[in-house]
Amino acid sequence: MTGPDLASPAVAPAPAPKRINLALQGGGTHGAFTWGVLERLLEDERIVIDGVSGASAGAINAAVLVQGLARGGRAGAIEALGALWRDIAARMVFSPMQNTPVEKAIWGHDLTWSMAYQAFDTMTRMFSPYQFNMLPEVFNPMRSLLERHLDCAALRAAPNANRLYISATNVRSGKPRIFTRAELSIDAVLASACLPQVARAVEIDGEAYWDGGYLGNPALWPLYHERGAPDILLVQINAIMREELPQTPSDIMNRLNEISFNASLMAEMRAIDFVQRLLEGGRLEQPRYRRIFLHCIEDETRMRGFKLSTKLNGDWEFLQILRGFGREAAERFLVEHAGRIGRESSLDIERFL
């Protein structure tokens, strides 16, 4: 005799994954903060990455992230990002730009007062890269780094890879150029990370390009124009606010860089906020216009403490500190705001207005 059938215990269905677009800022080796953020997001099964937009260091992180996801899913992306940043640190171990043990003991991770950084800073103010680098194709460590970690042809052909947008600045027209995954090349990523004080403009199809951060750090519009996920998560590494007045040449230059590299982002934020207000007031029609939910992962308090020179610091200990800050910031976001993804914005838009 068999017993009565017992109903299976009720099991709550797994929550639907939350699809987000990522917008990754540039900022030299401060991009290791973004590495930590991405690593923590990839560990969370609730989060599914849709499109990725990046500029400068954000473009490098974005391209390696998308390639890693296409090749090996979440684990592949985590491995690819880790390999990239370990390689960056290894290549800079013997760089004269790094503090000596004595300098590190005195100034920590700040390179401002090191003799090598002072010489480099003076040289880039007196000479252009067209004068001090007469063999740009031979002496280009960034190109060899990218060639080691990116297979652009394979990524262009990958059938299910994420949407990818790399921003650069057209030197002659002063307009932004967005390179999609279908247009991805080593030159496109180099163009996005081309600071004109230290590298020659990158020529692509007869046009010259500089760093994408000048006109889109990063560009947000490709993420919502392509009708992907409605949520955009900005990974911010450049400070918006500073209470103190910069007075030293280095601090003044740092603040000028922060303002110029945030200007286009702030303009886009204002435009998005304006459209969302019109939608809420019923003055625009859907689906031609749709709701966009904005989120941000940042740690302005700690990132403000780093000088301009630290964006050239590739010391492994320093990169690990930044990575840890990024992981902590992402964890805070997931705890406090993950439930708002797909429903409402969690970004305090007043910070950008």
Side-chain angles (χ1 to χ4, degrees), residues 249-270:
S250 177
D251 288 345
I252 291 171
M253 184 60 65
N254 186 36
R255 189 55 183 152
L256 281 172
N257 282 341
E258 287 175 341
I259 291 171
S260 61
F261 274 78
N262 281 326
S264 59
L265 175 65
M266 295 173 72
E268 275 204 87
M269 289 288 191
R270 293 188 187 98

Side-chain angles (χ1 to χ4, degrees), residues 61-97:
N61 274 323
V64 172
L65 167 68
V66 171
Q67 177 173 272
L69 285 170
R71 286 180 170 177
R74 295 173 185 271
I78 291 173
E79 180 181 356
L81 288 164
L84 168 71
W85 285 97
R86 284 192 297 272
D87 196 2
I88 290 173
R91 287 166 181 257
M92 299 186 76
V93 165
F94 301 107
S95 169
M97 292 293 290

Side-chain angles (χ1 to χ4, degrees), residues 218-263:
L220 303 183
W221 60 266
L223 295 171
Y224 55 81
H225 275 203
E226 295 294 329
R227 312 297 288 185
D231 291 81
I232 298 176
L233 173 58
L234 169 69
V235 181
Q236 177 195 333
I237 57 180
N238 293 293
I240 300 294
M241 284 290 300
R242 283 190 182 271
E243 296 297 333
E244 71 280 6
L245 179 67
Q247 297 182 356
T248 68
S250 177
D251 288 345
I252 291 171
M253 184 60 65
N254 186 36
R255 189 55 183 152
L256 281 172
N257 282 341
E258 287 175 341
I259 291 171
S260 61
F261 274 78
N262 281 326

Side-chain angles (χ1 to χ4, degrees), residues 282-337:
R283 300 177 64 183
L284 290 178
E285 295 181 359
Q286 299 191 53
R288 181 179 181 185
Y289 297 93
R290 62 175 182 144
R291 295 300 307 273
I292 299 295
F293 306 124
L294 297 175
H295 313 276
C296 182
I297 293 178
E298 50 82 22
D299 191 345
E300 277 213 19
T301 301
R302 290 195 285 197
M303 296 300 286
R304 273 198 298 261
F306 296 124
K307 301 290 187 178
L308 175 64
S309 68
T310 61
K311 292 184 178 182
L312 297 175
N313 192 337
D315 177 71
W316 179 244
E317 178 186 329
F318 180 57
L319 298 183
Q320 286 291 80
I321 290 172
L322 292 169
R323 175 194 183 191
F325 289 172
R327 288 186 61 89
E328 292 172 15
E331 180 65 27
R332 287 194 299 272
F333 171 81
L334 291 170
V335 170
E336 298 173 8
H337 302 301

Side-chain angles (χ1 to χ4, degrees), residues 30-189:
H30 288 190
F33 175 89
T34 302
W35 169 29
V37 170
L38 297 176
E39 189 175 65
R40 182 62 191 92
L41 293 178
L42 289 163
E43 293 169 354
D44 195 314
E45 298 286 343
R46 298 172 299 172
I47 303 297
V48 176
I49 296 171
D50 187 2
V52 189
S53 176
S56 200
I60 298 172
N61 274 323
V64 172
L65 167 68
V66 171
Q67 177 173 272
L69 285 170
R71 286 180 170 177
R74 295 173 185 271
I78 291 173
E79 180 181 356
L81 288 164
L84 168 71
W85 285 97
R86 284 192 297 272
D87 196 2
I88 290 173
R91 287 166 181 257
M92 299 186 76
V93 165
F94 301 107
S95 169
M97 292 293 290
Q98 303 309 295
N99 276 339
T100 65
V102 173
E103 290 172 333
K104 192 173 180 180
I106 299 172
W107 298 304
H109 303 294
D110 184 8
L111 306 180
T112 304
W113 306 111
S114 74
M115 294 184 63
Y117 180 81
Q118 290 285 325
F120 173 79
D121 186 54
T122 300
M123 182 178 68
T124 56
R125 292 172 189 271
M126 296 179 62
F127 303 101
S128 85
Y130 293 88
Q131 296 169 311
F132 65 72
N133 184 2
M134 304 305 294
L135 299 171
E137 295 304 317
V138 175
F139 184 69
N140 192 336
M142 181 68 76
R143 180 178 292 277
S144 63
L145 174 76
L146 294 176
E147 288 174 343
R148 181 183 175 107
H149 293 276
L150 281 177
D151 184 344
C152 295
L155 188 51
R156 289 194 301 267
N160 299 314
N162 299 74
R163 295 179 298 131
L164 175 64
Y165 307 101
I166 303 298
S167 61
T169 300
N170 187 303
V171 179
R172 296 185 177 92
S173 71
K175 296 179 180 179
R177 167 71 190 274
I178 304 298
F179 295 93
T180 65
R181 181 168 62 84
E183 303 168 300
L184 186 67
S185 66
I186 296 297
D187 280 343
V189 183

